Amino acid sequence: KQEVTQIPAALSVPEGENLVLNCSFTDSAIYNLQWFRQDPGKGLTSLLLIQSSQREQTSGRLNASLDKSSGRSTLYIAASQPGDSATYLCAVKAGANSKLTFGKGITLSVRP
Amino acid sequence: NAGVTQTPKFQVLKTGQSMTLQCAQDMNHEYMSWYRQDPGMGLRLIHYSVGAGITDQGEVPNGYNVSRSTTEDFPLRLLSAAPSQTSVYFCASSYRRTSGGEEQFFGPGTRLTVL
């Protein structure tokens, strides 16, 4: 059974800092991994999708990497801003017909 | 595109009442899902559908029914509400990219309280 872990549960950084959010998963046989952002009281917004055959994806100040052999993905946020404050979740899809397994998220606070 | 829409945004029920949470998507996605999100439990899959007329159970299906008569709509019905069903409910839709991978998109959620 695939398990997804995100540690720490919360993180506070000063504005302007480059930061890395970690996601680990137990079964390296995955179909894809997706990073989401969730603002308080809102739904999940898709940030990046990494297919099994890919090593990384980039969108603006965000870069997500995937290392299947070690069961890890990282979300790199460059030059963090207060507007980046939110909960970031990663989710792993084990196979084409499998469900998405979510981590519990990392709540990020960027201090002005 | 409106994306994934959900109604209502908030709902309060009494124990034993029934209701339907509405979900619609205008992206012509094949796959649709219902999740509930609870503090400390994360997101858990209730039911999902791989196309019109096809539904299946997720991790926590008890107390919920779904149907999918059209590609666009995927309503979730609570048969007899219980306090344990107090939660935030999210509907999602997804599609398989021709280049590989399946990207999932979420609605804004329905916050349900059962008294």
Side-chain angles (χ1 to χ4, degrees), chain B residues 52-81:
Chain B
I54 307 169
T55 63
D56 208 344
Q57 297 180 349
E59 299 173 72
V60 288
N62 293 342
Y64 308 95
N65 271 355
V66 291
S67 60
R68 184 115 179 256
S69 56
T70 67
T71 300
E72 295 79 19
D73 300 300
F74 191 42
L76 178 72
R77 183 165 178 82
L78 278 69
L79 307 173
S80 177

Side-chain angles (χ1 to χ4, degrees), chain B residues 42-54:
Chain B
L43 279 149
R44 292 180 293 170
L45 182 66
I46 304 172
H47 284 287
Y48 65 97
S49 169
V50 298
I54 307 169

Side-chain angles (χ1 to χ4, degrees), chain B residues 1-6 24-27 93 105-108:
Chain B
N1 284 356
V4 181
T5 57
Q6 293 183 239
Q25 54 97 2
D26 62 357
M27 297 174 282
S93 72
F105 298 86
F106 280 75

Side-chain angles (χ1 to χ4, degrees), chain A residues 32 34 38 46 51 96 104, chain B residues 37 40 96 99-100 102-104:
Chain A
N32 60 229
Q34 194 169 357
Q38 185 175 28
S46 178
Q51 299 166 30
K104 294 186 178 177
Chain B
Q37 186 176 40
R96 293 209 180 146
S99 57
E102 181 177 323
E103 188 169 9
Q104 194 152 99

Side-chain angles (χ1 to χ4, degrees), chain A residues 1 31-32 34 36 38 41-46 48-49 51 57 89 93 96-97 99-100 102-104, chain B residues 31 35 37 40-43 45 48 59 90 96-97 99-109 111:
Chain A
K1 177 187 172 185
Y31 183 69
N32 60 229
Q34 194 169 357
F36 296 89
Q38 185 175 28
K42 305 291 185 184
L44 281 68
T45 299
S46 178
L48 290 164
L49 175 77
Q51 299 166 30
Q57 282 289 314
L89 299 98
K93 191 169 174 65
N97 297 318
K99 69 178 184 73
L100 209 55
F102 286 83
K104 294 186 178 177
Chain B
Y31 309 108
Y35 295 88
Q37 186 176 40
M41 302 292 292
L43 279 149
L45 182 66
Y48 65 97
E59 299 173 72
F90 290 104
R96 293 209 180 146
R97 297 176 170 185
S99 57
E102 181 177 323
E103 188 169 9
Q104 194 152 99
F105 298 86
F106 280 75
R111 189 172 296 271

Side-chain angles (χ1 to χ4, degrees), chain A residues 19-69:
Chain A
L19 59 100
V20 171
L21 306 180
N22 293 308
C23 171
S24 61
F25 47 93
T26 53
D27 189 341
S28 61
I30 69 169
Y31 183 69
N32 60 229
L33 184 144
Q34 194 169 357
W35 281 94
F36 296 89
R37 167 184 173 140
Q38 185 175 28
D39 292 290
K42 305 291 185 184
L44 281 68
T45 299
S46 178
L47 296 174
L48 290 164
L49 175 77
I50 309 179
Q51 299 166 30
S52 177
S53 59
Q54 297 174 326
R55 293 299 301 271
E56 65 179 300
Q57 282 289 314
T58 298
S59 176
R61 293 183 295 109
L62 305 180
N63 175 278
S65 68
L66 174 64
D67 183 346
K68 292 188 297 180
S69 62

